[in-house]
Amino acid sequence: MTNLIRIKKGLDLHLVGEASGELSDVTYKSTQFAVIPDDYCGLVPKLMKKEGESVKSGEAIIFDKRFNDIKIVSPVSGTITKVIRGERRKLLRVEIESNNNNAQTLFNVTDLSKKNIEQVLLQSGLWAMMRQRPYDIIPEPGKTVRDIFITTFDSAPLAPKYTLLNNNIEAFKKGVEILSKLTEGKVYIGCRKDNLIETPNAESYIFDGPHPAGNVGVQIANIKPVNKGETVWALDADVVIRIGLLFNKGYVDFSTIVAL
């Protein structure tokens, strides 16, 4: 059974400048990329590579000083050209020049035990893309998680309607299956009525109403609030798809869609 939740109060803004929704392949491929540690809330970064060293797509270049198993990986194959630091030598970004040869780091995805799944997610960089509630930080490895919440839509004004989810439903369902093995509780999926996704490994909820209906925090509060001493995880659909593709292909697919 699918549940319906109405969000009555919010920001139903109609702004000019929405993306057309037409999907186009890029004609120009950038060769310059950067990994920015500040994108990962709660990370205490330590560099694993030096300027001039080569890396493969999915290869670790940063680890967390507090939890050494948490890795941040390169999204492309190429060479580290610059390591930019700020005050007190804070690591601001690692710049990488792609060589476009698409060499991939492979992971063991045949073992679907909880321990191996956790290690694959940690080593592939996808663990760092998840969020732990409370505090909205990277989940602590090995910590018991009550439930996992996934939002499949962005209700913000001018948010793109076309996302990775449109052509990757099966990869999304695979990602949900993998996540369901990491909690003794449930996986909850927040959807719009016109894009309902149901899977035996999760419980789906339809959210009707204006922004912030798509925010995972709002969905958690309306489905099953977090009580004192409890921990839950939160993900968006794109991260779930990447997890599914990883366990289907054996490597991390960093393809993405941006709205212009």
Side-chain angles (χ1 to χ4, degrees), residues 109-126:
V109 296
T110 57
D111 180 359
L112 296 184
S113 66
K114 181 179 178 180
K115 182 178 180 180
N116 187 64
I117 289 173
E118 183 172 306
Q119 282 302 309
V120 169
L121 294 179
L122 286 165
Q123 299 301 315
S124 66
L126 295 182

Side-chain angles (χ1 to χ4, degrees), residues 33-38 47 51 61-62 80 82-86 90-96:
F33 296 82
V35 175
I36 302 173
D38 280 351
L47 195 62
E51 289 185 4
I61 58 175
I62 295 171
I80 295 177
K82 289 183 181 179
V83 175
I84 309 299
R85 296 184 181 272
K90 177 184 177 181
L91 183 60
L92 300 180
R93 67 181 182 273
V94 179
E95 297 183 1
I96 303 167

Side-chain angles (χ1 to χ4, degrees), residues 3-175:
N3 304 276
L4 173 64
I5 296 177
R6 298 187 187 278
I7 306 297
K8 296 181 178 180
K9 294 183 179 180
L11 299 173
D12 196 6
L13 301 178
H14 301 282
L15 303 181
V16 177
E18 185 177 21
S20 67
E22 179 183 349
L23 185 65
S24 302
D25 291 329
V26 292
T27 55
Y28 172 76
K29 291 186 177 181
S30 174
T31 59
Q32 305 298 320
F33 296 82
V35 175
I36 302 173
D38 280 351
D39 288 342
Y40 304 90
C41 187
L43 182 77
V44 182
K46 179 72 174 179
L47 195 62
M48 299 175 65
K49 294 283 186 177
K50 300 178 181 178
E51 289 185 4
E53 289 190 316
S54 60
V55 291
K56 293 190 295 184
S57 178
E59 183 177 357
I61 58 175
I62 295 171
F63 71 90
D64 187 350
K65 286 184 180 179
R66 297 179 307 149
F67 305 106
N68 293 350
D69 286 341
I70 296 178
K71 302 294 195 301
I72 308 299
V73 305
S74 173
V76 293
S77 296
T79 304
I80 295 177
T81 55
K82 289 183 181 179
V83 175
I84 309 299
R85 296 184 181 272
E87 294 182 359
R88 298 185 179 182
R89 291 187 54 77
K90 177 184 177 181
L91 183 60
L92 300 180
R93 67 181 182 273
V94 179
E95 297 183 1
I96 303 167
E97 183 172 355
S98 172
N99 56 20
N100 291 320
N101 71 4
N102 205 32
Q104 302 284 352
T105 301
L106 300 179
F107 299 91
N108 174 21
V109 296
T110 57
D111 180 359
L112 296 184
S113 66
K114 181 179 178 180
K115 182 178 180 180
N116 187 64
I117 289 173
E118 183 172 306
Q119 282 302 309
V120 169
L121 294 179
L122 286 165
Q123 299 301 315
S124 66
L126 295 182
W127 185 278
M129 295 184 182
M130 301 191 292
R131 291 293 177 266
Q132 175 181 298
R133 299 293 180 98
Y135 309 125
D136 199 35
I137 58 175
I138 298 173
E140 181 180 334
K143 191 169 184 178
T144 302
V145 56
R146 190 200 72 188
D147 298 296
I148 300 175
F149 294 82
I150 302 166
T151 180
T152 62
F153 67 97
D154 187 349
S155 58
L158 307 186
K161 292 182 175 61
Y162 198 105
T163 68
L164 282 176
L165 189 58
N166 294 69
N167 286 329
N168 290 285
I169 297 297
E170 293 307 313
F172 177 86
K173 291 182 178 180
K174 180 67 174 181

